[in-house]
Amino acid sequence: PQVNGLIWILSSGTSAVNEVKAIGIRKAALLASARAVNRHLRSDAADRWLLTLPVYHVGGLGILARSHLSKAEVFQLGSWSAEAFAQAVENLGITLTSLVPTQVHDLVTSRLIAPKSLRAIVTGGGALDPSLYKQARDLGWPLLPSYGLTECGSQVATASLSSLKQKMFPPLEVLPHAEVKTADGRILVRADSACDFIARVRSTGEYSLEYPLVGGWLRTEDLGEVQTGRMRVLGRRDDVVKILGELVSVNQVEHEARSCFSM
């Protein structure tokens, strides 16, 4: 919904129980994000997007904003299944789409081969296991891992198209509309796509309205490393521990242990 010039988008980023978080963001901010993503993906009117994510979340809404600017066609997938997705890509000549890691897992589990029309899949909404990335790439799926958040209107950093020339897990490149830095290991973002307010409503009926920017910077709950326009995300603050002076992702340790047992 749009209220007082703001579009309110539900966020899945909250870790609190019994709380709903909504992000109040301007239309101009969403379009700034869409413009940057189109530039990064070199997307134009010749592209054909497949919408697999709900439009009440930023992942789906972002696709509509990008296609609005580029004049690319958008097609809606019905209920999710890996087979239906692959068939739709094939039948419709889809070139671009976005998936979350669980959907990528379904493609890999089903051993589906990527249709030739598809040139990029932006993968966000959670950490992508590097071993899952490799398995999907071996099947031809052109994954571009990304880091984004509803508070910044979608993607902040995404792997480059050139990363598809090799199969190593790629670094994320900060998009042109954003600046990223770290403080005490936490990721801070300043972007043209930043939100104006964050609203929280709890099951008790309590609510709050926050202005999240300090000096133009949004302080996230994510930990990472940033260097020369590239970034690596370590995980959420409560998923990372310090061992011998170094930040170590619990998720990454789990991924590596799982890969050892599967050998």
Side-chain angles (χ1 to χ4, degrees), residues 64-114:
L64 297 183
R66 292 166 215 154
S67 63
H68 168 73
L69 291 177
S70 68
K71 308 304 180 187
E73 289 188 88
V74 182
F75 300 86
Q76 174 83 51
L77 184 71
S79 58
W80 169 261
S81 81
E83 293 77 10
F85 169 79
Q87 196 63 58
V89 172
E90 180 74 48
N91 293 344
L92 297 170
I94 297 300
T95 60
L96 294 170
T97 190
S98 292
L99 297 179
V100 296
T102 54
Q103 293 171 315
V104 176
H105 179 269
D106 291 345
L107 295 175
V108 169
T109 301
S110 300
R111 302 300 298 169
L112 294 168
I113 304 297

Side-chain angles (χ1 to χ4, degrees), residues 180-244:
V180 179
K181 66 180 182 179
T182 59
D184 299 323
R186 287 174 66 172
I187 296 172
L188 280 71
V189 181
R190 181 165 64 184
D192 296 337
S193 60
C195 67
D196 287 280
F197 294 103
I198 297 176
R200 301 177 191 271
V201 181
R202 298 171 182 83
S203 59
T204 58
E206 298 175 279
Y207 63 88
S208 62
L209 189 63
E210 309 164 18
Y211 179 70
L213 305 183
V214 178
W217 290 90
L218 174 73
R219 187 178 179 88
T220 76
E221 292 297 314
D222 302 309
L223 299 184
E225 300 170 347
V226 180
Q227 188 173 20
T228 61
R230 292 184 172 186
M231 67 180 296
R232 184 167 74 100
V233 182
L234 297 175
R236 300 284 291 181
R237 186 173 56 163
D238 50 4
D239 292 334
V240 176
V241 296
K242 183 173 283 189
I243 300 177
L244 298 178

Side-chain angles (χ1 to χ4, degrees), residues 17-144:
V17 178
N18 298 323
E19 178 182 280
V20 174
K21 182 168 76 169
I23 309 302
I25 191 168
R26 291 167 293 113
K27 177 181 177 180
L30 288 172
L31 292 178
S33 170
R35 195 172 293 112
V37 174
N38 279 345
R39 176 178 167 185
H40 187 75
L41 298 178
R42 301 173 196 162
S43 180
D44 57 27
D47 278 311
R48 296 163 74 86
W49 281 91
L50 184 60
L51 184 60
T52 67
L53 305 173
V55 296
Y56 54 80
H57 284 306
V58 75
L61 186 59
I63 288 177
L64 297 183
R66 292 166 215 154
S67 63
H68 168 73
L69 291 177
S70 68
K71 308 304 180 187
E73 289 188 88
V74 182
F75 300 86
Q76 174 83 51
L77 184 71
S79 58
W80 169 261
S81 81
E83 293 77 10
F85 169 79
Q87 196 63 58
V89 172
E90 180 74 48
N91 293 344
L92 297 170
I94 297 300
T95 60
L96 294 170
T97 190
S98 292
L99 297 179
V100 296
T102 54
Q103 293 171 315
V104 176
H105 179 269
D106 291 345
L107 295 175
V108 169
T109 301
S110 300
R111 302 300 298 169
L112 294 168
I113 304 297
K116 295 186 183 303
S117 65
L118 194 59
R119 65 184 190 87
I121 301 175
V122 176
T123 310
L128 180 63
D129 185 335
S131 65
L132 179 62
Y133 170 85
K134 184 180 185 306
Q135 292 176 71
R137 295 284 289 112
D138 286 342
L139 293 168
W141 296 102
L143 303 187
L144 298 181

